[in-house]
Each structure stands twice: as structure tokens, then as C-alpha cells.
Amino acid sequence: MILLTGASGTVGAALLQRLLAAGRPVRCLVRDPRELGPERVRVHLVLADLADPASFRHAMRGVHCVVHLAAATRDGARASIEELNGLATVRLLRAAEAASVSRFLFLSTLGASPHAKPRYLRSRALAEQAVAESELETTVLAPSLAIARGDRLLTMLERLSLLPAMPILARGSVRYQPIHAADVADAALRALDGPALGRYELAGPETVSLTALTNALLHARSRRRRKVHLSPSAVRVALAMLERVVGPGVAATPDEVDLLEVSLLSSGGTADAERLGVRPLPFAEALDTPAVPPGPG
């Protein structure tokens, strides 16, 4: 039995589809089963919240491997980014160790560092450290920007592209090596099937700036817009005010804008992905491909 967190996310949905297609028994830790769509009837469900360790106390029964993909880029109603990413990972590790689980696969990110400005990256570094110090057999996958048509970032950019002028958030010179979310899911599946332990940096074949990513999306949608570069400080102030008015449903938070100011690059390029038997899609193809193909109808 595989315990999967983050199954409703872009990478998680793609991995869940692959695990089920392979006939693997999967237990999903979710807050709301409806997030899984039609797949919810094909998996074991544990209704739990990573901010509440008591809620997943019995989730490890019969589990041989934990795949921890869940992450938060903003504070929740009951817990901070640090608790949802860092402390929750520690709690899962301890529960897995107590239940004699053999493997733990953790999805982190490039740029994770205790000295990073974004709270998200600092919290991911704390989680990575806990995974590295665990007595379990562990694998860490650290992708650059994982993208797929319909993901949160591209959806936000698409909505902004409907404006008469296209705002470029933060510094447009920040660079990424975008990798398709399904390629990350394939890497996770290969890691689970083999003896792949340690840390793998997953990057796509091209390096692009935030401005180039925005231009590519506009071109793919056949939209011509004048670009307006916005001051990061001004964006943070505006979003902080909007967050106080709108609440948790705000499109972006100041913490998420901080993330757009950090380059996510791997010196090895696609080497680690290829070590896992995955050849990442070219950027243009990844930009316009959903992580999970739409079903019939």
C-alpha cells in the first residue's frame, strides 16, 4: 500500500493516474474527497489535515511507502506555511518510522534553503533536512518550475492576459528550467520502482525567464499585449491590502510574489531526470499540455 499526500495537485493527479493504471493500491490523505474527482472511488481514503497529526494517526496501517507531495505556498486558516510544509513533514516521517514503513519519497523544490527570502523555500529546506536525517530509505525530488496547462501559475497568467496590458509580476529576469508536471510524476514512479535513493534535481531542457514564459503563453493563446513591469514592493503592498479585503480566496499573496523573485536552476540540467529514465518535454510542449489528459466526453 502506498500512502499519497497531495493527490489533487498537478503532479499528484498525474502520479495517482499512473499508480492506478499500474494496479497499485493507493491510500490518499485528503481533506475533501471531491478534490480527487472520479478517482476517489478507486482509492482508499483517509480524511485528514496535515495541520492535525491526530487526524492521520492510523493512516500508516499496512503502508510500505509514503509519497509526500502536499505543500502550501500560503498560510492556511489553522496553520502557517512553516507548519504545513516543515512540521507536517516531520510528523509524517515520525509516523512512518513508528509504523515501520520502508520508503519515503518527498517532493521538494529547487531553491529550497534555510537562507532563502521566501518563507516557502525556507520551510521546504527544513522538510528536506528532516527527510535526510530520517532512518527510512528516502528519495527527494527537487524540480524547477513544474508546469502543465491548467496549473495554478499558468491559470493566473492566463487570467492576467485578458487585461488590456499584461503585468509582469516581480523581476521578469528571474529564470527557470520548466519541467512538465507529468515528467515529475514519471520520475517519482521510476524512483519508486527502483533503488533510487538520495536527492534528484529535476529540470527541463530549456532555461527561460519569467518574461519569456509570459511571452510564450501569450503567443500560445494568440494574444498580443503590451507588457507592464510592476515593482515587487508595490505588488506586495497591493496584495497585502487585497488579502485583508478578500481573505484566503485572494489570487496571490505577498509570500507567493516573493517566490517569483527566485531563480530555480539546476547545474545538471536534465541529467537527474534522465538518470531516472525520463526525458523531459520541450518547454513549448510542456506549456500547452495538461498533466492529466481529459477523460472521454
Side-chain angles (χ1 to χ4, degrees), residues 191-214:
L192 291 175
D193 285 340
L197 303 178
R199 188 176 189 272
Y200 294 80
E201 296 188 345
L202 305 180
E206 292 131 307
T207 299
V208 300
S209 67
L210 180 58
T211 298
L213 188 153
T214 303

Side-chain angles (χ1 to χ4, degrees), residues 216-249:
L217 184 138
L218 289 171
H219 177 75
R221 305 297 178 262
S222 300
R223 295 172 187 162
R224 300 183 65 179
R225 296 289 188 274
R226 179 173 61 90
K227 266 75 74 178
V228 178
H229 289 261
L230 303 179
S231 160
S233 58
V235 172
R236 288 190 199 90
V237 170
L239 287 175
M241 295 174 62
L242 186 61
E243 190 175 13
R244 284 195 289 269
V245 175
V246 176

Side-chain angles (χ1 to χ4, degrees), residues 72 75 79-88 119-120 122-123 126:
D75 293 327
S80 67
I81 293 173
E82 291 78 8
E83 183 171 3
L84 292 169
N85 292 333
L87 187 55
R119 295 167 56 207
Y120 172 80
R122 296 200 301 271
S123 70
L126 291 172

Side-chain angles (χ1 to χ4, degrees), residues 166-186:
M166 181 69 185
I168 304 293
L169 303 179
R171 293 186 295 116
S173 60
V174 167
R175 296 184 300 157
Y176 310 110
Q177 293 164 311
I179 181 168
H180 193 251
D183 288 332
V184 178
D186 283 336

